[in-house]
Amino acid sequence: SPWGSVGPAAPACSLTEVMSEQLARQLDEEDQGFPALPPSPAADPEEGPDTDSDLMLAQMLQMQFDREFDDQLRREERKLNGDSKSISFENYRKVHPYEDSDSSEDEVDWQDTRHDPYRAKPQAAPRRGFSGKGKNITTKHDEDACGRKNTARMDNFAPEVHVGDGLGMDLKLSNQVFNSLKQHCYSEQRRSARLHEKKEHSTAEQAVDPRTRLLMYKMVNSGVLENINGCISTGKESVVFHADGGLEEQPVPEKVVLKVFKTTLNEFKNRDRYIKDDYRFKERFSKLNPRKVIRLWAEKEMHNLAMKKAGIPCPDVVLLKKHILVMSFIGKEHVPAPKLKDVALGAEEAAEAYRQVLQLMQLLYQDCNLVHADLSEYNMLWYQGKVWLIDVSQSVEPTHPHGLEFLFRDCRNVATFFQKRGVSEALSVYDLFNAVTGLNIPVSADDDARFLAEIVAMEKRNEDHVQKRGKKTFPVTLEDGGPPLDPD
């Protein structure tokens, strides 16, 4: 046989022999020959549960099945969540209330179950709005019931709001306190969202948004700039950075500044007053899009800096990229030129500075046909014995509906500053205005209101004045009805 030798076959046995009483007695004797096993402790009726009842057996089996089912749910939950707790199977667990309290923490996590024995649950008022009878009646407006309900509702606050351990205590919050906490949480959520929005979509002080940062990186990568050193000045409308010029084909100064106009209008909300009535940008002005307004604002300063051709000391324009204006640096060795308000000028230097400012205002008005509209000691630099003009983005033409008002304000700022510095030859506000414009508006006892009324009337008469090249004329009608005055 290929499977090896075959053993002898078992002797055949008939059914009669198997069922015989003699064979049954023989088997019984053999069973009695084995040693008896000791009784198990679980079988002791005094120590173990009574297993004679089918109901008890069924409950024990069901509890064991529920434990295994809960363990399987926990394993699936840990597998899906990992380190987070975004998915929970608490609603599908079958934890029995009569389980022993000696169970491990892994088996029953009371903090995650719906049946938390340590959490005081508020007594819900019945649907009819009250409970009890007679003097013991309790309505839904009961102070204690409302206090406990408000404490339980604190659990619905945002996750970042730390409510502490008060939820497990018998605390009673009044409606006023709960409403104040709720309003505070709502305000904090809005504030955090607003700060995040500002950080992502607007330029703040000494910082830029991701779009502006990308434009600056592109300037460095294209060779326009070698590197950007840092912030040197901040203001209500822009942030100024110092940078080194690159080696591009077009001539770029060795030291330049980047004027990044802020894309938020929180600090300078009346920009449209300076740009919407300017005929150069009137058709392109859109108040509904702040970013387009900022780009027009940067382009407006680039055009106004053409005053350099008239001999007015000001920065040279290098490049305009959306709301970033690259200009030449006024200063020495990474130190910007000081503002006129920060310079300690002697008597002769102050008088020389005043004469230069008067000449610059006349050149700006008569030759460049512009009004600075924000001229003060804060927007004038003192460098190499000369006065330099900066921040001309708000400059307008004299024919602007408020152009002469802006000029009168500039004259007031200049006259006040140099008079405080003790410059004897400093003209008054009215004489300075007439000297700059060439208009002989009569002045009577320093009547500021009357002088301004004359200026406003002049602006209204010239509102429909035809735009011409060169110097604009503003005829003034005398009180006696005589012919208009000639500006010359």
Side-chain angles (χ1 to χ4, degrees), residues 254-483:
E254 183 180 357
K255 303 296 180 182
V256 296
V257 294
L258 276 69
K259 188 170 184 179
V260 181
F261 290 86
K262 292 184 178 181
T263 54
T264 175
L265 302 179
N266 293 337
E267 299 184 31
F268 195 7
K269 298 182 179 180
N270 58 343
R271 296 176 191 257
D272 56 327
R273 184 183 180 188
Y274 298 88
I275 196 172
K276 69 178 182 179
D277 293 320
D278 195 329
Y279 76 96
R280 298 173 295 178
F281 306 96
K282 188 174 183 179
E283 300 297 332
R284 300 165 55 190
F285 175 75
S286 175
K287 191 176 181 179
L288 300 179
N289 194 334
R291 285 194 173 270
K292 290 185 179 180
V293 174
I294 302 306
R295 293 181 186 178
L296 286 181
W297 198 255
E299 184 180 348
K300 192 169 185 285
E301 176 153 2
M302 181 191 68
H303 287 298
N304 291 337
L305 285 175
M307 65 178 69
K308 186 82 171 181
K309 300 178 182 178
I312 298 178
C314 64
D316 295 321
V317 178
V318 178
L319 178 67
L320 173 64
K321 188 67 174 178
K322 293 186 178 180
H323 61 282
I324 300 179
L325 183 62
V326 183
M327 301 177 292
S328 60
F329 176 69
I330 303 176
K332 186 178 181 181
E333 296 180 356
H334 298 269
V335 179
K339 297 178 181 179
L340 202 59
K341 74 178 185 68
D342 299 327
V343 182
L345 298 176
E348 296 182 358
E349 290 180 336
E352 177 62 25
Y354 177 76
R355 288 190 290 268
Q356 291 185 20
V357 172
L358 178 58
Q359 184 181 5
L360 291 178
M361 295 177 69
Q362 291 175 343
L363 285 175
L364 192 64
Y365 181 85
Q366 298 175 7
D367 294 350
C368 301
N369 193 34
L370 284 176
V371 174
H372 191 283
D374 193 20
L375 188 63
S376 65
E377 62 272 18
Y378 295 90
N379 291 332
M380 290 185 286
L381 305 180
W382 181 258
Y383 181 64
Q384 295 179 349
K386 294 192 301 183
V387 177
W388 297 66
L389 297 183
I390 59 173
D391 291 344
V392 295
S393 55
Q394 70 283 336
S395 299
V396 297
E397 289 198 343
T399 53
H400 189 277
H402 304 284
L404 295 182
E405 296 179 46
F406 296 153
L407 179 59
F408 183 75
R409 185 178 61 188
D410 294 346
C411 294
R412 184 195 300 276
N413 295 335
V414 172
T416 303
F417 172 72
F418 283 102
Q419 286 173 2
K420 288 182 179 180
R421 289 297 180 100
V423 179
S424 58
E425 57 187 272
L427 300 176
S428 64
V429 181
Y430 316 104
D431 295 335
L432 181 59
F433 181 85
N434 288 332
V436 172
T437 60
L439 302 174
N440 297 322
I441 300 180
V443 181
S444 60
D446 295 340
D447 191 355
D448 197 357
R450 184 176 180 182
F451 198 86
L452 279 176
E454 290 287 345
I455 293 177
V456 173
M458 189 183 306
E459 288 176 341
K460 289 182 178 180
R461 286 195 300 267
N462 292 276
E463 189 172 355
D464 299 330
H465 184 73
V466 180
Q467 300 292 340
K468 299 179 181 179
R469 292 183 177 272
K471 183 172 58 176
K472 303 294 186 301
T473 60
F474 294 88
V476 181
T477 304
L478 296 179
E479 295 181 0
D480 55 1

